[in-house]
Amino acid sequence: MMCGILTGWHGWIFGLQMLLFSLAEGNTLKYQTNEEGSPGTVIGNLAKDMSLSPSFGSNTNFRMMKQFNDSFIRVRESDGELSVGERIDRERICRHTLQCLITFDVVSFSKERYKLIHVEVEVKDINDNYPEFPNKESTVEISENADVGFRINLDPAEDADVGSNYIQSYQISVNSHFSIDVLLRADGVKYAELVLMKELDRETQSSYAVELIATDGGTPYRSGSTKITIKVTDFNDNRPVFDQNNFSVTLPEDAQVGFVLLDLNAVDPDEGLNGEVGYGFGKQVSAEIRELFEVDSKSGRVRLKNPVDFEKKKTYELDVQATDLGSNPTPAVCKIIIHIKDVNDNAPEISITPMTSISTGIAYISETADKDSLVALISTSDRDSGVNSQVHCTLYGHDHFKLQQAYEDSYMIVTAAFLDREKISEYNLTVMAEDFGSPPLRKITQYTIRLSDENDNAPHFTKPIYEVSVVENNAPGAYITTVEARDADLGTNGKITYRLLDSVIMGSPVNTFVSLNAISGSIYALRSFNYEVMKHLELHIQASDEGSPQLQSSAIINLKILDQNDNAPSIIEPVLNKGSAEVFLPKDAPAGYVVTQIKATDAEEGINAQMSYKITEGGHLGFSINKVTGKLHVSHELNYDLSETLRVLVAVNDNGTPSLTSTATIHLTLIEGTPPSVPAMVQNDSVEVFEWDIAIIIVLSGSCSLLLLAIILITTTCSRRKREKREAGYSENEDMPHVENRESRQIDSLITNHKSNVFDVHPFPEKAPLASSNTIKTAPDDGRQEKECVFDNRIMEGKLEGYSTLPGYRKETLRPITIWKGNSFTTISARDPQFSGKDSGKGDSDCNDSDSDISGDGHKKDSPPINSLWACTSECKILGHSDRCWSPSATRANTSLSHGPHLSTFSKTASLPRNTLQRDVFYQQAHLPKTNGLQSVYEQVQHQEFDYILVCPPTPARILETDEISLPEYGQS
């Protein structure tokens, strides 16, 4: 992957794939150039001298990594040509060092490969400096009694050049007494000594003048000269003598000022002032030495005046003179050579050159760079020598980066893991360079690496699916919603624009329905939406960044159109003409006759489409309308002439907010005659339809069913026992357990023989017309012949009204009746004055019944015969006892009971235990099945006192069910 690189010099960017080679593959290329070369002077060409392999290709680029002397040399990017950047003064950068080198590193790269090249450029000296003496003229003294061969040190000439361009020789002008001897000092400086060749006579010649010339070895050579005046002093018989004429001392470069190097001692055998000795530097000692060292004039002690630096100069040579205080003194000279010892007093220096940098101290690298990608080059140096100059480099801060050594004093910062700017955008690293001196010195540098952004993140919507809604009938241009996407990238890579993807909705382009702001992501409606036409729109939005390559993502907007109550009901039946319709109505139409049905539709949905009908005008004419179905019917008998036309205005309202209304004017034209067909007789449609709670209906139905089942079981049991008693000659002295044991086998089958319609409930009109009489035919079963009977309509009317008639008094003999009294069965006479079947109708309480009437009115009736029922007739022998025979009615005869077994009545009171355990034992002893129906009834009454009359007709007849009674129904043909 390519990473962008921006140089500080040229501001250009190029790509580089970081693929490191082994150190053995790195090259060191050496070049030479003369000092003082003009800028642009070509030194060499890296592309030619490297002999690059074909894998690098022809499109190879070069870049110089910045180092200490980076301005002297330039590297051309295209071919690696080396040239002089600025004038190089060898004497300034290297002083007297014989070899002057400028070193730097160059990176060559091509596509997916790169190479690190170490370059050394040697700056060659040219003879651009003349030898120069410190003084143009100087004076020396020599005693007239000096011996032949006596030497006097002369000031050396200085030459900044080195090698053959440095001073090679000294000459002196021709004279009769003196010559020179050229010597080399320990620090490499050549100097001359004046040598006495012939004895002197002050009286003959007191002074001599000579010229000293210094010549270098350059081509062409250069020279410098100085004039020396030699004075001959008067005779001095003795001169000071040093204990030792030559000294060599070693001085640590970190020695403190005042450090004593030597304690010199010179002795003069003379007496008085001629024997007193003074010390000082010789005249030829340079100003540099005088600045660093000092000599005590009385004691001869040599001290360090200022700190010395091994890295500047390693050796110093100086002369110390000792002279007496007499007249015409003759000095004695002591030569001192001072060697500076290197100590580890210089910390390493660090230079970090990033591959990409637009600000000092910060390196940039692409976040998509691979592992081992080069980030920066570290160059170290140490001015010390030996082990003190050897440096080790360490990187701290984050394990995403590491160091690799390139050369002896060069290191590379490379990536050690894959990077992600969105997780970590900047790394603060610490580079520490430490030498191997004792104690070691270190240099710590803080360095920042920032990741340059790459377009590696697509825009991300806050939600993949937006659920929004807009109310229909909106104004065009209405705001709908705003989508938002985020991009973790920076700059143009993170700049997002939105676009509405093309699609077709109902044959039209989507951009004709909505518009999208490309910058903000806001969506606006371009038209007014109609819920009845369009209920939903699906929009696809694309977010794109401006990176390269461009990345996109998309989101879906589910736009729901919300319904408004903007459509009034539309009346479709009857067909209207200008809002009215004509309907023919028979003049003699009875009440309940359906005149017509108003039908309407509403384009809305839900609650807005729920409609209701009402008559706004004409309702007093004798018409009503069902608010739900819209059926218009006659509410009462009509008394209008044929010439009259009745007008009814019907309004249809929806249930929206606000409610909308449509009206229809119904013109009713009366015609002669009765309805053309039997019209549908309707219930009072004006009565509102009640919506019962399902749970309440279930509870009430269940309770009524259980109660009805219990009554049927008890009644059936009594009827069966009475029949058996009549057939077998029942004796009242027979034990109850024996009776129960004999009948227990037949109870379960008795329950299963009941038909489901026993529990059905059938509604009836309040005033339904009934026939005057009905004929009932019983199906022939068990060999019995078909029987026909006629019963009075009043019996059915009583059934329909939900109550029984009060018992009448007849003369027939009454059968005994078995009742449940409290918690036991009791057999009594139907005419027993202690018992009354009359119910007050005030609930289950006995206190309001006739047999509980404390007023005594319930006992004022005549006592009937002991063996006859109250209101039985001859019909009871055929049809069984009717509701007129006793009250309350316990059951309605059913065909399923006609031919099944009958329970006998009990001859005496049989008490059932109230305790559950004892009751179960009773059932077991009596061999009676404990059915669920009887058990349920018992559980309800075991703690209360109730009277249940078990009436057992000898031959139950089938009474017509209510759903079998035909009722006339009227409707419009």
Side-chain angles (χ1 to χ4, degrees), residues 208-444:
Y208 299 88
V210 296
E211 182 179 16
L212 181 64
I213 300 172
T215 305
D216 62 26
T219 302
Y221 68 88
R222 297 177 184 272
S223 64
S225 63
T226 183
K227 291 182 179 181
I228 301 174
T229 299
I230 304 172
K231 290 182 178 182
V232 180
T233 61
D234 194 12
F235 175 79
N236 187 348
D237 55 347
N238 290 300
R239 63 175 181 175
V241 178
F242 282 98
D243 296 339
Q244 185 176 335
N245 292 330
N246 296 289
F247 289 92
S248 178
V249 297
T250 299
L251 176 66
E253 65 173 328
D254 60 347
Q256 300 296 318
V257 174
F259 179 80
V260 177
L261 282 76
L262 287 172
D263 203 348
L264 300 177
N265 183 40
V267 178
D268 192 328
D270 293 333
E271 296 181 356
L273 293 176
N274 292 335
E276 294 183 9
V277 180
Y279 302 91
F281 288 117
K283 293 181 179 180
Q284 77 284 358
V285 174
S286 65
E288 179 187 9
I289 294 177
R290 293 176 185 272
E291 185 67 26
L292 295 176
F293 304 97
E294 63 182 359
V295 179
D296 191 300
S297 61
K298 292 183 179 181
S299 64
R301 186 171 293 169
V302 181
R303 292 189 179 91
L304 181 64
K305 184 179 181 180
N306 285 302
V308 294
D309 189 354
F310 174 85
E311 287 69 39
K312 291 182 178 180
K313 197 169 185 178
K314 298 176 178 61
T315 304
Y316 296 92
E317 186 174 322
L318 53 90
D319 294 336
V320 177
Q321 293 181 346
T323 59
D324 58 30
L325 300 181
S327 59
N328 302 320
T330 300
V333 179
C334 177
K335 187 178 291 296
I336 302 173
I337 299 175
I338 302 173
H339 298 281
I340 306 301
K341 180 183 178 181
D342 182 36
V343 296
N344 192 26
D345 61 340
N346 292 284
E349 294 182 5
I350 300 175
S351 174
I352 302 179
T353 305
M355 288 297 298
T356 307
S357 179
I358 57 178
S359 58
T360 305
I362 300 177
Y364 287 83
I365 186 172
S366 171
E367 63 173 324
T368 58
D370 289 337
K371 291 178 63 176
D372 295 328
S373 298
L374 177 61
V375 180
L377 183 67
I378 299 176
S379 299
T380 62
S381 65
D382 196 318
R383 297 174 60 198
D384 296 322
S385 61
V387 294
N388 294 333
S389 65
Q390 298 177 6
V391 178
H392 174 69
C393 200
T394 310
L395 181 68
Y396 300 96
H398 207 287
D399 56 2
H400 284 178
F401 298 91
K402 64 181 178 180
L403 280 183
Q404 286 186 357
Q405 189 167 10
Y407 298 96
E408 181 180 359
D409 57 354
S410 298
Y411 296 85
M412 295 178 293
I413 301 177
V414 298
T415 59
F418 294 104
L419 309 175
D420 189 351
R421 189 200 64 81
E422 286 69 38
K423 292 182 179 178
I424 303 178
S425 61
E426 182 175 290
Y427 297 85
N428 293 312
L429 306 181
T430 300
V431 180
M432 184 182 73
E434 185 178 56
D435 60 28
F436 290 91
S438 181
L441 298 179
R442 62 177 61 94
K443 176 68 176 293
I444 298 176

Side-chain angles (χ1 to χ4, degrees), residues 350-546:
I350 300 175
S351 174
I352 302 179
T353 305
M355 288 297 298
T356 307
S357 179
I358 57 178
S359 58
T360 305
I362 300 177
Y364 287 83
I365 186 172
S366 171
E367 63 173 324
T368 58
D370 289 337
K371 291 178 63 176
D372 295 328
S373 298
L374 177 61
V375 180
L377 183 67
I378 299 176
S379 299
T380 62
S381 65
D382 196 318
R383 297 174 60 198
D384 296 322
S385 61
V387 294
N388 294 333
S389 65
Q390 298 177 6
V391 178
H392 174 69
C393 200
T394 310
L395 181 68
Y396 300 96
H398 207 287
D399 56 2
H400 284 178
F401 298 91
K402 64 181 178 180
L403 280 183
Q404 286 186 357
Q405 189 167 10
Y407 298 96
E408 181 180 359
D409 57 354
S410 298
Y411 296 85
M412 295 178 293
I413 301 177
V414 298
T415 59
F418 294 104
L419 309 175
D420 189 351
R421 189 200 64 81
E422 286 69 38
K423 292 182 179 178
I424 303 178
S425 61
E426 182 175 290
Y427 297 85
N428 293 312
L429 306 181
T430 300
V431 180
M432 184 182 73
E434 185 178 56
D435 60 28
F436 290 91
S438 181
L441 298 179
R442 62 177 61 94
K443 176 68 176 293
I444 298 176
T445 299
Q446 303 294 330
Y447 200 72
T448 300
I449 298 177
R450 290 179 183 171
L451 302 186
S452 57
D453 184 50
E454 297 291 339
N455 193 28
D456 57 344
N457 291 280
H460 177 71
F461 281 94
T462 55
K463 293 185 291 186
I465 299 177
Y466 290 80
E467 299 289 346
V468 296
S469 60
V470 61
V471 180
E472 67 170 332
N473 304 318
N474 59 285
Y479 170 79
I480 297 177
T481 188
T482 297
V483 295
E484 182 181 3
R486 297 186 177 93
D487 196 320
D489 296 323
L490 300 177
T492 57
N493 294 334
K495 187 176 181 180
I496 299 175
T497 56
Y498 301 92
R499 184 171 71 91
L500 186 63
L501 296 181
D502 294 336
S503 62
V504 177
I505 299 176
M506 299 178 63
S508 300
V510 67
N511 55 16
T512 62
F513 291 88
V514 296
S515 66
L516 173 65
N517 189 305
I519 304 301
S520 65
S522 297
I523 301 175
Y524 301 90
L526 292 180
R527 61 173 66 182
S528 179
F529 296 110
N530 189 345
Y531 175 82
E532 288 70 35
V533 177
M534 178 186 302
K535 298 179 175 57
H536 174 267
L537 278 81
E538 185 175 288
L539 309 176
H540 293 263
I541 308 298
Q542 183 184 77
S544 305
D545 58 29
E546 296 185 4

Side-chain angles (χ1 to χ4, degrees), residues 820-959:
W820 178 265
K821 186 70 174 180
N823 59 350
S824 62
F825 287 102
T826 303
T827 302
I828 64 174
S829 173
R831 290 293 184 181
D832 192 339
Q834 301 297 324
F835 168 78
S836 173
K838 180 182 178 181
D839 194 341
S840 64
K842 298 182 179 181
D844 296 334
S845 174
D846 291 339
C847 63
N848 291 320
D849 294 340
S850 60
D851 54 350
S852 300
D853 192 358
I854 61 176
S855 65
D857 294 340
H859 303 285
K860 292 179 180 180
K861 301 175 183 178
D862 297 334
S863 298
I866 196 67
N867 290 327
S868 61
L869 291 177
W870 297 333
C872 287
T873 64
S874 59
E875 297 175 354
C876 295
K877 298 180 180 181
I878 301 175
L879 301 178
H881 294 283
S882 67
D883 290 343
R884 291 183 176 273
C885 298
W886 62 82
S887 179
S889 59
T891 183
R892 184 176 63 213
N894 191 289
T895 55
S896 64
L897 301 177
S898 303
H899 313 293
H902 297 274
L903 294 178
S904 300
T905 56
F906 291 96
S907 61
K908 64 180 179 179
T909 300
S911 177
L912 289 178
R914 292 185 180 270
N915 182 274
T916 303
L917 181 60
Q918 295 177 355
R919 184 174 67 250
D920 292 341
V921 173
F922 175 83
Y923 276 115
Q924 295 173 2
Q925 293 175 354
H927 301 286
L928 292 175
K930 186 171 59 177
T931 61
N932 292 334
L934 292 176
Q935 178 68 17
S936 175
V937 173
Y938 181 81
E939 295 292 344
Q940 296 179 16
V941 302
Q942 61 177 341
H943 297 296
Q944 302 182 36
E945 293 292 336
F946 293 100
D947 288 344
Y948 294 92
I949 304 174
L950 303 183
V951 180
C952 308
T955 307
R958 178 178 181 275
I959 301 176

Side-chain angles (χ1 to χ4, degrees), residues 1-5 14-21 52-62 77-78 107-115 355 370 373:
M1 183 59 63
M2 307 301 289
C3 70
I5 297 180
F14 55 90
L16 175 63
Q17 169 65 34
M18 303 304 179
L19 180 63
L20 292 180
F21 290 81
L52 294 175
S53 62
S55 61
F56 270 80
S58 59
N59 188 20
T60 301
N61 295 322
F62 297 84
E77 175 193 352
S78 58
V107 175
S108 65
F109 50 90
S110 174
K111 296 182 180 179
E112 297 182 355
R113 299 176 64 85
Y114 92 97
K115 199 170 190 178
M355 288 297 298
D370 289 337
S373 298

Side-chain angles (χ1 to χ4, degrees), residues 629-690:
T629 63
K631 289 183 178 181
L632 179 66
H633 54 80
V634 178
S635 60
H636 57 76
E637 183 179 356
L638 302 178
N639 296 313
Y640 298 104
D641 297 333
L642 292 177
S643 60
E644 294 185 65
T645 299
L646 306 180
R647 177 179 176 274
V648 177
L649 182 63
V650 178
V652 184
N653 300 323
D654 60 24
N655 204 22
T657 303
S659 177
L660 300 181
T661 304
S662 295
T663 61
T665 301
I666 308 299
H667 296 282
L668 301 175
T669 301
L670 299 177
I671 60 176
E672 187 66 44
T674 58
S677 63
V678 181
M681 194 67 185
V682 297
Q683 298 180 13
N684 189 3
D685 290 335
S686 61
V687 179
E688 295 185 356
V689 178
F690 293 93

